[in-house]
């Protein structure tokens, strides 16, 4: 009799064992259809549409009976806090990176503005302007070259001196 019970128990375990490997992820796609997979859903699927995760109870069992249909499934609190902390840390790092880049751009604009105003003062003094050509030889700017340089300086002032 013990052998029969033991073999029945072994048969039940053998039948139930593969069920743990089936579709550990379950979510609703963009059309509202249930998707079952052994892989996580795409990144564009929001958390509230994920119905089941590996190792977690199905959403129907996890949500209380009074919860409305389509409510977010219950998740372990520790996992959410850790995920939230990592998300906040990543957002803070991204914000710091954006701020540093904005500060660098602002400093560059301020430097460009200062140089453009100094060049404008030099041009308005009416002194002869000399530039170096491609061979490294000094070349005196004629009136058309001075006008083009003055126009370039004014465009830099308009864009960087706000």
């Amino acid at each position: 009799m013990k052998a029969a019970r033991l073999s029945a128990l072994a048969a039940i375990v053998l039948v139930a064992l593969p069920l743990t490997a089936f579709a550990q992820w379950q979510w609703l796609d963009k059309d509202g259809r249930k998707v079952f997979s052994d892989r996580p859903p795409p990144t564009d699927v929001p958390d509230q549409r994920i119905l089941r995760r590996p190792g977690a109870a199905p959403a129907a069992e996890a949500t209380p009976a009074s919860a409305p249909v389509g409510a977010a499934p219950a998740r372990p609190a520790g996992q959410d806090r850790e995920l939230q902390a990592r998300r906040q840390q990543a957002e803070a790092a991204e914000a710091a990176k954006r701020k540093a880049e904005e500060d660098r751009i602002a400093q560059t604009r301020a430097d460009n503005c200062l140089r453009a105003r100094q060049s404008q003062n030099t041009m308005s003094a009416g002194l002869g302007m000399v530039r170096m050509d491609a061979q490294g030889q000094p070349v005196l700017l004629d009136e058309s070259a001075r006008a083009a340089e003055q126009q370039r300086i004014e465009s830099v002032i308009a864009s960087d001196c706000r």
Side-chain angles (χ1 to χ4, degrees), residues 19 44 56 60 66 69 72 78 87 119 145 151:
L19 294 177
D44 63 336
S66 63
V69 176
R87 185 176 291 144
S119 296
Q151 188 176 11

Side-chain angles (χ1 to χ4, degrees), residues 88-109:
Q88 287 175 348
Q89 192 176 31
E91 288 172 357
E94 184 66 28
K97 186 177 174 183
R98 273 195 306 265
K99 174 135 177 48
E101 181 66 16
E102 289 170 2
D103 290 347
R104 185 190 65 77
I105 290 172
Q107 183 62 40
T108 302
R109 283 184 177 213

Side-chain angles (χ1 to χ4, degrees):
M1 198 62 163
K2 280 188 176 183
R5 285 186 184 170
L6 190 57
S7 65
L9 182 62
I12 291 172
V13 169
L14 287 175
V15 168
L17 188 62
L19 294 177
T20 61
F22 285 126
Q24 296 185 9
W25 286 93
Q26 180 181 354
W27 69 90
L28 295 173
D29 67 2
K30 64 182 176 191
D31 299 322
R33 292 178 292 201
K34 283 187 180 178
V35 178
F36 300 87
S37 178
D38 60 342
R39 296 185 179 178
T43 55
D44 63 336
V45 175
D47 280 346
Q48 63 264 23
R49 295 190 67 107
I50 297 175
L51 303 175
R52 183 175 179 169
R53 297 173 185 270
E61 298 170 13
T63 56
S66 63
V69 176
R75 294 188 189 101
Q79 182 183 10
D80 281 346
R81 282 190 215 123
E82 181 181 321
L83 180 62
Q84 185 67 21
R86 275 191 267 151
R87 185 176 291 144
Q88 287 175 348
Q89 192 176 31
E91 288 172 357
E94 184 66 28
K97 186 177 174 183
R98 273 195 306 265
K99 174 135 177 48
E101 181 66 16
E102 289 170 2
D103 290 347
R104 185 190 65 77
I105 290 172
Q107 183 62 40
T108 302
R109 283 184 177 213
D111 291 344
N112 287 345
C113 177
L114 178 66
R115 277 191 243 112
R117 289 196 188 275
Q118 290 171 345
S119 296
Q120 186 180 39
N121 290 339
T122 302
M123 292 290 280
S124 64
L127 302 174
M129 295 291 295
V130 176
R131 298 282 176 185
M132 299 301 220
D133 64 7
Q135 291 77 29
Q137 300 297 320
V139 176
L140 187 63
L141 294 180
D142 60 357
E143 287 303 315
S144 64
R146 284 177 67 88
E149 182 65 15
Q150 184 68 27
Q151 188 176 11
R152 186 190 70 78
I153 290 170
E154 288 173 5
S155 70
V156 169
I157 289 173
S159 67
D160 289 347
C161 299
R162 295 181 203 173

